């Protein structure tokens, strides 16, 4: 039930409005003065106020301002007599929803009230949806404790403060590129705008142009009516171009033109349409390598690559595997109403040594499958799928024997991180020497992609 407050010094108006509104199932309170009305607003739930501009103690506009200070969500409709229309218009500038001139019919008031309250309901619904998205896609939902992930989160927070710069996210499938894109959007000033996404590899070129830019009626055989494209729908928000590395060269040229001009035409249209959509692109490709091979436009690459975020595969950030596992256990405990308490040490050992080719998505699917099929109190190694339990990495000793350099762990122990970084540094420098400084060729020698090599070079301070 909606709660209505009527503030008017005329008893007849108060009583007649009360009768009319109670017939519509509203809960109605009455006040004879601005001071009395403000007291009711402070002490009771009020959804809407019918406020007379001319009150015996306070100016109606001053009462409006104080109501909005108490609760900005309260709807205020001004009631004004002859000669006070100018004051009513002034009230609109202070966030009054509407004003109505006296005398008025009860049906007029009830119609305005229904429209105002429905507007308020929709606003609250949108705000709740936006707040849920902020919760779902906050930076705290990017789970992990590795140094690489901390740097990514720092970049995401900084980029979110600037809401127009293009962003290019690179990483293998399943590393969380979409999650990072949504975190940027929902933590930026564009969070009130739409987040529109499209997978460029999933739609043929002939359809992709229509999907992105829309079309006019009759533009092609099946264009029976005008359709807004995703670029237009994303206005004021973010357009996420997933797997842009698979986009055809002709379409790349059109995207480049939009980034340069900030305007476009619908398919079959003549009118230029302005756009204020932020572009975030993602790919599993090494776009620099694609540029060298003439598979991706160099000018578009530099337009997109203003801010570059590289998401390392999970096998390169083992520290994040167990935090992710525990996060997904908590998530599915809530979803499936289960009470899994954790993971045994033998299962932890297997999880952290597995290569996770499907990355974060594979971790999530693995935990979901276990918690659907089994109901363990603690996840044991026997609950893990065979691809994890059967996978065994080569031992350090075996690897060294293959290289003709047997390695034995010293009795006094060693600094594992420093030693492995030293080996990585030596191998990368050797690869760069053999390829005369070519990062692409060095990455191939090391069976890495170019971005993984660049990440390691930065981490190990190799120039």
């Amino acid at each position: 039930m909606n709660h209505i407050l009527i503030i008017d010094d005329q008893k007849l108006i108060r009583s007649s409005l009360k009768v009319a509104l109670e017939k519509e199932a509203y809960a109605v309170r009455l006040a004879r003065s601005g001071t009395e009305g403000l007291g009711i607003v402070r002490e009771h739930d009020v959804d809407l106020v019918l406020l007379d501009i001319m009150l015996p103690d306070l100016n109606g506009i001053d009462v409006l301002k104080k109501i909005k200070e108490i609760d900005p969500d309260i709807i205020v409709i001004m009631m004004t007599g002859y000669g006070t229309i100018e004051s009513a218009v002034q009230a609109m500038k202070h966030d009054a929803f509407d004003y109505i001139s006296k005398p008025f019919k009860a049906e007029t008031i009830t119609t305005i009230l229904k429209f105002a309250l429905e507007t308020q309901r929709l606003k609250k619904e949108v705000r709740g949806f936006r707040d849920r998205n902020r919760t779902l896609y906050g930076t705290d939902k990017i789970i992990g404790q590795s140094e690489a992930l901390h740097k990514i989160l720092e970049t995401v927070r900084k980029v979110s403060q600037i809401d127009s710069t293009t962003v290019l996210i690179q990483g293998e499938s399943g590393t969380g590129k979409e999650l990072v894109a949504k975190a940027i959007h929902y933590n930026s000033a564009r969070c009130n705008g739409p987040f529109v996404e499209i997978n460029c590899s999933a739609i043929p070129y002939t359809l992709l142009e229509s999907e992105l830019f829309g079309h006019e009626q009759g533009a092609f055989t099946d264009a029976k009516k005008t359709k807004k494209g995703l670029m237009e729908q994303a206005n004021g928000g973010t357009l996420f171009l997933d797997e842009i590395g698979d986009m055809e060269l002709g379409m790349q040229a059109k995207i480049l033109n939009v980034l340069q001009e900030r305007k476009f035409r619908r398919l079959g249209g003549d009118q230029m349409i302005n756009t204020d959509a932020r572009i975030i692109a993602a790919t599993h490709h090494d776009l620099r390598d694609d540029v060298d091979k003439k598979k991706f436009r160099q000018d578009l690459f530099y337009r997109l690559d203003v801010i570059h975020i590289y998401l390392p595969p999970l096998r390169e950030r083992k520290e994040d595997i167990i935090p992710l596992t525990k996060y997904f256990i908590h998530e599915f405990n809530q979803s499936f109403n289960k009470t899994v308490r954790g993971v045994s040490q033998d299962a932890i050992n297997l999880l952290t040594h597995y290569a996770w080719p499907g990355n974060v998505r594979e971790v999530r699917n693995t935990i979901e499958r276990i918690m659907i099929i089994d109901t363990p109190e603690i996840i044991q190694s026997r609950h893990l799928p065979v691809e994890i339990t059967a996978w065994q990495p080569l031992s350090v000793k075996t690897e060294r024997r293959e290289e003709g350099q047997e390695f034995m762990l010293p009795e006094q122990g060693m600094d594992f991180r420093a030693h492995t970084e030293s080996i990585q540094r030596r191998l990368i420098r050797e690869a760069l020497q053999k390829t005369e400084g070519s990062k692409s060729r060095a990455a191939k020698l090391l069976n890495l992609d170019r971005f993984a090599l660049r990440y390691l070079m930065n981490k190990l301070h190799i120039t």
Side-chain angles (χ1 to χ4, degrees):
M1 179 181 289
N2 293 116
H3 295 78
I4 311 297
L5 170 62
I6 301 166
I7 305 177
D8 197 298
D9 61 334
Q10 296 182 41
K11 183 177 180 180
L12 180 60
I13 289 178
R14 292 197 307 274
S15 58
S16 59
L17 280 174
K18 186 175 188 293
V19 171
L21 295 179
E22 286 180 342
K23 284 182 181 178
E24 298 292 330
Y26 295 118
V28 182
R29 293 182 182 275
L30 305 177
R32 292 172 294 179
S33 66
T35 303
E36 184 182 358
L38 289 171
I40 292 172
V41 170
R42 291 188 183 97
E43 296 175 10
H44 300 277
D45 289 332
V46 176
D47 298 304
L48 185 146
V49 177
L50 288 168
L51 173 62
D52 188 21
I53 280 187
M54 303 300 291
L55 293 169
D57 58 340
L58 298 171
N59 181 282
I61 295 177
D62 292 334
V63 176
L64 165 64
K65 292 177 184 177
K66 290 179 180 179
I67 290 172
K68 289 296 181 178
E69 287 174 6
I70 296 168
D71 186 350
D73 289 334
I74 293 177
I75 297 170
V76 180
I77 297 174
M78 308 301 296
M79 298 183 293
T80 173
Y82 177 78
T84 57
I85 297 297
E86 185 178 342
S87 297
V89 173
Q90 182 68 22
M92 298 292 287
K93 295 179 181 179
H94 294 285
D95 208 18
F97 182 84
D98 203 348
Y99 69 89
I100 184 167
S101 300
K102 297 177 183 179
F104 46 74
K105 295 181 179 179
E107 308 88 74
T108 304
I109 283 287
T110 55
T111 300
I112 293 174
L113 257 63
K114 286 177 182 177
F115 176 68
L117 291 167
E118 177 63 13
T119 301
Q120 182 193 53
R121 185 189 69 79
L122 290 173
K123 283 182 177 180
K124 286 182 177 179
E125 199 171 285
V126 169
R127 189 184 304 117
F129 179 72
R130 185 172 65 241
D131 292 343
R132 283 194 298 274
N133 278 332
R134 280 179 174 169
T135 301
L136 285 172
Y137 302 113
T139 53
D140 61 321
K141 298 301 180 183
I142 303 175
I143 306 300
Q145 58 190 26
S146 64
E147 181 183 353
L149 196 66
H150 286 312
K151 289 181 178 179
I152 289 166
L153 290 173
E154 185 180 349
T155 302
V156 167
R157 293 186 187 101
K158 288 178 180 178
V159 173
S160 299
Q161 304 306 309
I162 305 169
D163 68 350
S164 59
T165 306
T166 54
V167 181
L168 180 62
I169 306 170
Q170 193 270 334
E172 292 180 6
S173 178
T175 49
K177 298 186 290 293
E178 182 183 347
L179 183 62
V180 169
K182 287 182 175 178
I184 292 171
H185 171 76
Y186 287 112
N187 289 279
S188 74
R190 292 181 177 267
C191 62
N192 294 330
F195 180 88
V196 179
E197 56 189 304
I198 184 169
N199 189 316
C200 301
S201 66
I203 301 176
Y205 167 69
T206 51
L207 296 178
L208 184 59
E209 184 175 9
S210 174
E211 284 294 312
L212 281 172
F213 302 125
H215 59 254
E216 298 290 346
Q217 183 178 1
F220 48 87
T221 305
D222 293 328
K224 295 177 181 176
K225 61 180 182 179
T226 298
K227 174 189 172 184
K228 286 185 177 182
L230 299 181
M231 187 72 71
E232 199 168 346
Q233 294 175 35
N235 195 47
T238 300
L239 178 63
F240 177 50
L241 301 174
D242 198 10
E243 296 303 348
I244 196 170
D246 294 321
M247 184 181 284
E248 193 267 345
L249 285 167
M251 195 69 227
Q252 291 178 28
K254 295 178 186 293
I255 293 294
L256 174 64
N257 187 62
V258 172
L259 287 171
Q260 290 174 333
E261 304 297 331
R262 308 303 297 176
K263 59 182 66 174
F264 63 94
R265 288 189 182 92
R266 291 182 188 145
L267 199 62
D270 298 321
Q271 182 182 357
M272 296 299 294
I273 300 171
N274 294 322
T275 179
D276 177 33
R278 179 186 206 159
I279 303 293
I280 299 179
T283 182
H284 70 279
H285 287 236
D286 179 346
L287 289 189
R288 288 184 182 273
D289 191 47
D290 285 356
V291 167
D292 293 340
K293 294 175 180 176
K294 309 299 182 185
K295 292 181 180 179
F296 199 85
R297 292 182 63 105
Q298 185 180 54
D299 44 8
L300 177 58
F301 171 74
Y302 286 117
R303 278 281 179 180
L304 293 171
D305 199 39
V306 178
I307 301 294
H308 185 96
I309 298 176
Y310 170 62
L311 296 178
L314 204 51
R315 62 183 174 273
E316 293 179 11
R317 46 188 180 99
K318 298 279 190 178
E319 313 96 297
D320 296 337
I321 294 171
I322 299 308
L324 283 165
T325 300
K326 292 179 179 178
Y327 174 80
F328 291 131
I329 288 173
H330 175 72
E331 178 184 324
F332 292 121
N333 271 337
Q334 292 184 321
S335 300
F336 304 150
N337 194 26
K338 297 208 173 182
T339 55
V340 177
R341 292 194 294 109
V343 187
S344 69
Q345 189 57 52
D346 60 334
I348 286 174
N349 293 338
L350 290 169
L351 290 170
T352 52
H353 284 85
Y354 180 56
W356 296 107
N359 293 296
V360 178
R361 188 181 295 124
E362 187 181 3
V363 178
R364 187 180 194 278
N365 293 346
T366 298
I367 300 304
E368 182 177 13
R369 184 165 62 247
I370 291 171
M371 293 180 66
I372 289 174
I373 296 173
D374 299 298
T375 313
E377 184 177 357
I378 298 291
I379 294 176
Q380 307 284 347
S381 57
R382 68 178 182 274
H383 299 122
L384 301 177
V386 65
E387 61 266 23
I388 295 178
T389 56
W391 187 85
Q392 291 294 333
L394 293 172
S395 67
V396 173
K397 184 173 181 178
T398 303
E399 289 177 321
R400 288 298 156 207
R401 278 178 177 168
E402 288 178 355
E403 295 174 8
Q405 298 175 343
E406 184 171 337
F407 175 81
M408 298 297 292
L409 182 66
E411 291 296 329
Q412 70 273 19
M414 62 180 290
D415 186 334
F416 178 80
R417 184 185 294 272
H419 191 81
T420 52
E421 286 185 354
S422 174
I423 294 171
Q424 289 177 334
R425 193 177 291 109
R426 179 176 59 80
L427 289 172
I428 290 171
R429 284 175 175 159
E430 187 175 338
L432 288 168
Q433 287 173 355
K434 286 184 177 180
T435 59
E436 298 179 336
S438 170
K439 295 185 183 70
S440 296
R441 288 160 54 204
K444 288 178 182 177
L445 280 179
L446 297 167
N447 196 25
L448 296 170
D449 65 52
R450 181 185 175 92
F451 287 102
L453 177 61
R454 289 176 62 198
Y455 166 76
L456 288 171
M457 289 177 66
N458 287 334
K459 178 183 176 183
L460 301 172
H461 307 294
I462 299 173
T463 58

